[in-house]
Amino acid sequence: MKGTFFKQPLEFSVDIKGESHRQGECLKGSLLVRNHSDEELALGAYGVTLAQTDAKKLKAKNEKGITNKHQLSFKEDEKLGPKDSATLEWEFKIPSDGTISEKSNGPYIYYGATDELFEGGFLELSVLPIEILEKYIEIFENFFRFKRKSLKNKAGFIDIQYTCPGGKDYARIEKLNQRIRIIDSKLEVKWLFKVNKLGYESGSVAVSYT
Protein backbone atom coordinates (compact mmCIF):
# COMPACT_ATOMS: atom_id res chain seq x y z
CA MET A 1 0.00 0.00 0.00
CA LYS A 2 1.52 3.31 -1.10
CA GLY A 3 0.75 7.01 -0.88
CA THR A 4 2.39 10.29 -1.92
CA PHE A 5 1.73 13.95 -1.23
CA PHE A 6 3.61 17.23 -1.76
CA LYS A 7 4.11 20.12 0.59
CA GLN A 8 6.54 22.32 -1.25
CA PRO A 9 9.44 22.00 -1.33
CA LEU A 10 9.08 18.52 0.19
CA GLU A 11 7.68 15.33 -1.32
CA PHE A 12 6.49 12.56 1.04
CA SER A 13 6.05 8.95 -0.06
CA VAL A 14 4.87 6.22 2.33
CA ASP A 15 5.11 2.51 1.59
CA ILE A 16 3.21 0.08 3.87
CA LYS A 17 4.03 -3.61 3.61
CA GLY A 18 0.90 -5.62 2.85
CA GLU A 19 -2.61 -4.65 1.75
CA SER A 20 -4.40 -5.89 4.88
CA HIS A 21 -3.41 -6.76 8.45
CA ARG A 22 -4.81 -8.43 11.54
CA GLN A 23 -5.07 -7.42 15.17
CA GLY A 24 -1.85 -8.32 17.00
CA GLU A 25 0.36 -8.10 13.89
CA CYS A 26 3.27 -5.71 13.29
CA LEU A 27 2.58 -2.97 10.78
CA LYS A 28 5.79 -2.10 8.92
CA GLY A 29 6.74 0.43 6.29
CA SER A 30 8.94 3.32 5.24
CA LEU A 31 8.61 7.06 4.69
CA LEU A 32 10.70 8.65 1.95
CA VAL A 33 11.15 12.43 2.01
CA ARG A 34 12.61 14.31 -0.96
CA ASN A 35 13.84 17.90 -0.80
CA HIS A 36 13.22 19.69 -4.12
CA SER A 37 14.71 23.00 -2.93
CA ASP A 38 18.24 24.38 -3.00
CA GLU A 39 18.31 24.78 0.79
CA GLU A 40 18.98 22.47 3.70
CA LEU A 41 15.84 21.65 5.68
CA ALA A 42 15.16 20.20 9.15
CA LEU A 43 13.40 16.82 9.34
CA GLY A 44 12.63 16.55 13.07
CA ALA A 45 9.00 17.63 12.72
CA TYR A 46 8.15 14.93 10.17
CA GLY A 47 7.23 11.28 10.57
CA VAL A 48 4.43 8.71 10.65
CA THR A 49 1.38 8.41 12.91
CA LEU A 50 -0.90 5.42 13.52
CA ALA A 51 -4.27 6.55 14.92
CA GLN A 52 -7.87 5.51 15.36
CA THR A 53 -9.94 7.73 13.08
CA ASP A 54 -13.58 8.70 12.69
CA ALA A 55 -14.06 9.14 8.92
CA LYS A 56 -16.67 11.91 9.15
CA LYS A 57 -14.62 13.93 11.63
CA LEU A 58 -11.52 13.50 9.48
CA LYS A 59 -13.39 14.96 6.51
CA ALA A 60 -14.45 17.90 8.69
CA LYS A 61 -10.87 18.25 10.07
CA ASN A 62 -12.15 17.77 13.61
CA GLU A 63 -9.27 16.80 15.91
CA LYS A 64 -11.65 14.87 18.19
CA GLY A 65 -11.95 12.29 15.45
CA ILE A 66 -8.31 11.19 15.85
CA THR A 67 -7.49 9.16 18.97
CA ASN A 68 -5.00 6.60 20.33
CA LYS A 69 -2.08 8.12 18.43
CA HIS A 70 1.30 6.38 18.09
CA GLN A 71 4.05 8.32 16.33
CA LEU A 72 7.57 7.86 15.00
CA SER A 73 9.62 10.79 13.69
CA PHE A 74 13.00 11.57 12.20
CA LYS A 75 15.66 12.52 14.73
CA GLU A 76 15.18 16.03 16.12
CA ASP A 77 18.51 17.30 14.76
CA GLU A 78 18.37 15.47 11.42
CA LYS A 79 18.81 17.62 8.30
CA LEU A 80 17.99 17.07 4.65
CA GLY A 81 20.35 18.60 2.10
CA PRO A 82 19.38 20.32 -1.16
CA LYS A 83 17.98 17.93 -3.78
CA ASP A 84 18.55 15.10 -1.32
CA SER A 85 16.28 12.44 0.17
CA ALA A 86 15.98 10.57 3.48
CA THR A 87 14.10 7.44 4.57
CA LEU A 88 12.46 6.64 7.89
CA GLU A 89 11.85 2.94 8.54
CA TRP A 90 8.94 2.50 10.96
CA GLU A 91 7.01 -0.23 12.73
CA PHE A 92 3.87 -0.27 14.90
CA LYS A 93 2.29 -3.15 16.80
CA ILE A 94 -1.46 -3.40 16.15
CA PRO A 95 -3.04 -4.22 19.54
CA SER A 96 -4.68 -7.66 19.73
CA ASP A 97 -7.70 -5.94 21.32
CA GLY A 98 -7.59 -2.90 19.03
CA THR A 99 -10.30 -1.80 16.64
CA ILE A 100 -10.90 -3.39 13.26
CA SER A 101 -11.63 -1.46 10.09
CA GLU A 102 -15.19 -0.51 9.21
CA LYS A 103 -16.81 2.13 7.00
CA SER A 104 -17.28 4.79 9.66
CA ASN A 105 -14.00 4.43 11.58
CA GLY A 106 -10.83 2.42 11.98
CA PRO A 107 -7.02 2.68 12.03
CA TYR A 108 -5.31 5.15 9.67
CA ILE A 109 -1.68 5.95 8.86
CA TYR A 110 -0.81 9.66 8.62
CA TYR A 111 2.48 10.89 7.19
CA GLY A 112 4.10 14.33 7.07
CA ALA A 113 4.22 16.81 9.95
CA THR A 114 3.38 14.85 13.12
CA ASP A 115 1.74 17.88 14.81
CA GLU A 116 -0.35 18.85 11.74
CA LEU A 117 -2.02 15.61 10.67
CA PHE A 118 -4.72 17.30 8.58
CA GLU A 119 -2.05 19.02 6.48
CA GLY A 120 -0.31 15.79 5.48
CA GLY A 121 -1.15 12.57 3.71
CA PHE A 122 -3.10 9.63 5.09
CA LEU A 123 -4.10 6.08 4.20
CA GLU A 124 -7.00 4.07 5.58
CA LEU A 125 -5.81 0.66 6.78
CA SER A 126 -7.59 -2.66 6.36
CA VAL A 127 -7.39 -4.32 9.80
CA LEU A 128 -9.17 -7.65 10.29
CA PRO A 129 -9.90 -9.59 13.49
CA ILE A 130 -7.02 -11.58 14.96
CA GLU A 131 -6.93 -15.01 13.31
CA ILE A 132 -8.15 -16.97 16.34
CA LEU A 133 -11.27 -14.78 16.54
CA GLU A 134 -11.91 -15.21 12.82
CA LYS A 135 -11.77 -18.99 13.22
CA TYR A 136 -14.05 -18.76 16.27
CA ILE A 137 -16.64 -16.89 14.20
CA GLU A 138 -16.33 -19.44 11.39
CA ILE A 139 -17.33 -22.24 13.80
CA PHE A 140 -20.75 -20.62 14.29
CA GLU A 141 -21.13 -20.05 10.55
CA ASN A 142 -19.98 -23.47 9.31
CA PHE A 143 -21.06 -25.86 12.08
CA PHE A 144 -24.03 -24.13 13.73
CA ARG A 145 -25.29 -22.42 10.54
CA PHE A 146 -25.43 -18.90 11.95
CA LYS A 147 -25.09 -16.25 9.23
CA ARG A 148 -22.90 -13.22 9.88
CA LYS A 149 -24.95 -10.07 9.27
CA SER A 150 -22.53 -7.36 10.43
CA LEU A 151 -19.10 -6.99 12.03
CA LYS A 152 -18.16 -3.77 13.86
CA ASN A 153 -16.44 -2.23 16.88
CA LYS A 154 -18.57 -1.84 19.99
CA ALA A 155 -17.57 -0.90 23.56
CA GLY A 156 -14.07 -2.36 23.24
CA PHE A 157 -15.30 -5.58 21.61
CA ILE A 158 -15.81 -6.88 18.09
CA ASP A 159 -19.59 -7.06 17.75
CA ILE A 160 -21.03 -9.69 15.40
CA GLN A 161 -24.72 -9.64 14.57
CA TYR A 162 -25.98 -13.04 13.43
CA THR A 163 -29.02 -14.25 11.58
CA CYS A 164 -30.12 -17.44 13.32
CA PRO A 165 -30.66 -20.69 11.42
CA GLY A 166 -34.21 -21.85 10.87
CA GLY A 167 -35.98 -24.27 13.16
CA LYS A 168 -38.03 -24.20 16.33
CA ASP A 169 -34.95 -23.99 18.58
CA TYR A 170 -34.32 -20.42 17.43
CA ALA A 171 -37.85 -19.33 16.53
CA ARG A 172 -38.15 -16.94 19.50
CA ILE A 173 -34.84 -15.16 18.92
CA GLU A 174 -35.52 -11.86 17.21
CA LYS A 175 -31.95 -10.56 17.34
CA LEU A 176 -28.62 -12.13 18.33
CA ASN A 177 -25.29 -10.37 18.87
CA GLN A 178 -22.00 -11.81 20.03
CA ARG A 179 -19.20 -9.62 21.39
CA ILE A 180 -15.69 -11.05 21.49
CA ARG A 181 -12.14 -9.89 22.19
CA ILE A 182 -8.74 -11.12 23.34
CA ILE A 183 -7.57 -9.60 26.64
CA ASP A 184 -4.25 -10.71 28.20
CA SER A 185 -4.25 -13.78 25.91
CA LYS A 186 -7.73 -14.77 27.14
CA LEU A 187 -10.91 -14.97 25.07
CA GLU A 188 -13.79 -12.90 26.42
CA VAL A 189 -17.28 -13.51 25.02
CA LYS A 190 -20.63 -11.80 25.63
CA TRP A 191 -24.00 -12.78 24.17
CA LEU A 192 -26.88 -10.34 23.66
CA PHE A 193 -30.34 -11.73 22.85
CA LYS A 194 -33.57 -10.07 21.83
CA VAL A 195 -36.31 -12.65 22.41
CA ASN A 196 -39.98 -12.35 21.55
CA LYS A 197 -42.56 -13.68 23.99
CA LEU A 198 -46.23 -14.41 23.43
CA GLY A 199 -48.66 -13.02 25.99
CA TYR A 200 -52.43 -13.31 26.39
CA GLU A 201 -54.49 -10.32 27.47
CA SER A 202 -58.27 -9.71 27.16
CA GLY A 203 -58.68 -12.52 24.68
CA SER A 204 -55.93 -11.26 22.34
CA VAL A 205 -52.36 -12.32 21.66
CA ALA A 206 -49.51 -9.81 22.04
CA VAL A 207 -45.82 -10.09 21.24
CA SER A 208 -43.30 -8.51 23.60
CA TYR A 209 -39.51 -8.34 23.39
CA THR A 210 -36.83 -8.85 26.04
Side-chain angles (χ1 to χ4, degrees), residues 4-204:
T4 299
F5 94 97
F6 294 85
K7 187 172 184 179
Q8 296 295 342
L10 296 175
E11 176 187 349
F12 299 86
S13 298
V14 70
D15 187 355
I16 303 173
K17 295 181 180 179
E19 294 297 320
S20 65
H21 306 82
R22 291 190 180 275
Q23 295 171 309
E25 291 183 347
C26 284
L27 182 68
K28 299 180 180 180
S30 61
L31 175 64
L32 174 66
V33 183
R34 292 186 176 92
N35 181 5
H36 293 285
S37 76
D38 296 320
E39 300 179 359
E40 184 180 71
L41 299 174
L43 282 176
Y46 303 106
V48 178
T49 301
L50 170 66
Q52 177 70 17
T53 302
D54 182 298
K56 288 184 178 180
K57 291 180 180 178
L58 172 61
K59 188 175 182 180
K61 295 187 176 182
N62 184 339
E63 293 183 358
K64 292 182 179 180
I66 300 177
T67 57
N68 298 329
K69 293 188 292 185
H70 302 277
Q71 297 180 320
L72 285 174
S73 303
F74 286 95
K75 293 179 181 178
E76 188 174 351
D77 59 352
E78 192 167 350
K79 305 291 184 181
L80 184 59
K83 310 299 182 182
D84 201 359
S85 64
T87 300
L88 174 69
E89 301 288 340
W90 53 267
E91 179 178 329
F92 296 109
K93 177 69 178 296
I94 303 173
S96 59
D97 60 343
T99 57
I100 59 173
S101 298
E102 52 179 305
K103 288 183 178 180
S104 59
N105 67 80
Y108 279 59
I109 282 289
Y110 297 82
Y111 56 103
T114 53
D115 61 347
E116 297 178 340
L117 299 184
F118 294 128
E119 304 304 319
F122 61 86
L123 290 173
E124 181 181 2
L125 299 176
S126 173
V127 176
L128 306 172
I130 193 170
E131 189 172 8
I132 190 172
L133 293 184
E134 191 71 56
K135 291 186 179 299
Y136 180 83
I137 296 169
E138 289 175 359
I139 290 174
F140 288 91
E141 294 180 314
N142 298 332
F143 293 95
F144 296 101
R145 297 182 293 113
F146 285 85
K147 186 177 180 181
R148 188 188 319 187
K149 190 174 181 180
S150 66
L151 188 74
K152 59 184 179 181
N153 304 296
K154 191 76 172 181
F157 288 79
I158 294 176
D159 183 279
I160 310 103
Q161 183 175 346
Y162 291 107
T163 298
C164 295
K168 62 180 181 179
D169 291 339
Y170 304 103
R172 293 177 56 194
I173 299 178
E174 182 75 15
K175 185 177 180 182
L176 175 63
N177 287 63
Q178 183 187 53
R179 292 182 182 176
I180 57 177
R181 66 180 176 184
I182 298 291
I183 292 289
D184 297 328
S185 300
K186 295 180 181 179
L187 174 64
E188 187 174 345
V189 182
K190 293 183 179 181
W191 289 95
L192 293 88
F193 299 87
K194 185 178 181 182
V195 180
N196 61 60
K197 297 191 300 183
L198 292 177
Y200 298 89
E201 185 176 347
S202 301
S204 63

